[in-house]
């Protein structure tokens, strides 16, 4: 279990914190009207790194199982995480498949185009920095007011804020591992 905690502390959490910081810097650049393009690119890169590191936690746990816990395959690890997933800590919220969506996002960033039939996004072009209109995202998801944020455009036409997907999957991991949940966006 210590190896998993160390990986969370030294790899996953810093990547998630980096994304939050880069997103804040992007918002500040927009307000100031200076360095917007550079800050946008940095936020996308940090989002990519956070998605990949959080997704690959499954591989790490598969190869470094906690005592008394073994998984036959990666699908078993992902199913265990998904079983603890709650949308933004709202227990009565409708089901979300964010473990699978995070996999698709990480794979899209890595491979650019996805050819898996089960993939819910087409590829890296489906992960964009854009503003959303009212009612495009679930209530409470992402930033309000239509400001730009990293959005995942799914094949079914729905959109998700990457920040919410990351938060949901991270929370599910902590719950699975019996760890306390920090305040939202404080990894």
């Amino acid at each position: 279990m210590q190896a998993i905690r160390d990986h969370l502390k030294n790899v996953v959490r810093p990547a998630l914190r980096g994304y939050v910081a880069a997103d804040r810097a992007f918002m500040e650049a927009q307000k100031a009207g200076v360095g917007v393009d550079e800050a946008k690119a940095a936020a996308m890169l940090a989002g990519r790194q956070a998605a990949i590191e959080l997704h690959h936690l499954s591989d790490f746990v598969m190869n470094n199982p906690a005592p008394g816990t073994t998984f036959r395959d990666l699908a078993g690890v992902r199913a265990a995480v998904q079983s603890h997933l709650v949308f933004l800590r709202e227990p009565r919220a409708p089901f979300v498949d964010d473990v699978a969506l995070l996999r698709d996002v990480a794979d899209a960033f890595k491979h650019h185009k996805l050819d898996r039939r089960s993939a819910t996004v087409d590829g890296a072009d489906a992960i964009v920095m854009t503003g959303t209109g009212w009612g495009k995202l679930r209530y409470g998801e992402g930033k309000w007011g239509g400001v730009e944020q990293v959005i995942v455009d799914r094949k079914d036409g729905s959109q998700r804020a990457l920040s919410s997907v990351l938060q949901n999957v991270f929370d599910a991991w902590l719950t699975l591992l019996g760890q306390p949940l920090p305040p939202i966006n404080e990894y």
Side-chain angles (χ1 to χ4, degrees), residues 18-178:
Y19 173 61
V20 170
D23 188 56
R24 284 186 184 137
F26 172 59
M27 290 176 59
E28 290 302 318
Q30 286 179 305
K31 287 179 191 172
V34 177
V36 175
D37 291 340
E38 295 84 357
K40 181 187 252 185
M44 285 296 293
L45 177 60
R48 174 191 179 111
Q49 292 166 337
I52 289 170
E53 295 300 347
L54 183 57
H55 168 66
H56 284 293
L57 181 56
S58 297
D59 295 276
F60 188 86
V61 169
M62 176 73 191
N63 293 305
N64 298 279
T69 305
T70 57
F71 298 98
R72 296 185 75 204
D73 55 20
L74 281 172
V77 177
R78 292 179 187 131
V81 176
Q82 181 65 44
S83 72
H84 293 281
L85 200 129
V86 176
F87 178 76
L88 295 178
R89 302 183 184 175
E90 291 293 330
R92 293 184 299 273
F95 172 82
V96 287
D97 60 344
D98 285 353
V99 174
L101 181 55
L102 180 64
R103 175 187 181 196
D104 293 343
V105 168
D107 284 353
F109 278 136
K110 184 177 174 186
H111 301 292
H112 192 68
K113 283 286 187 195
L114 298 183
D115 56 8
R116 247 184 316 105
R117 275 194 224 197
S118 63
T120 60
V121 300
D122 287 321
D125 292 341
I127 303 138
V128 296
M129 183 73 78
T130 189
T132 57
W134 186 84
K136 285 290 205 174
L137 300 176
R138 287 178 152 200
Y139 178 76
E141 180 170 12
K143 299 175 188 175
W144 294 5
V147 297
E148 287 189 77
Q149 59 187 314
V150 180
I151 295 293
V152 179
D153 289 321
R154 299 180 78 161
K155 287 180 182 178
D156 67 7
S158 65
Q159 294 181 318
R160 295 292 311 282
L162 180 62
S163 60
S164 295
V165 174
L166 295 171
Q167 185 70 57
N168 294 340
V169 175
F170 180 76
D171 287 354
W173 267 111
L174 290 185
T175 303
L176 175 66
L177 297 171

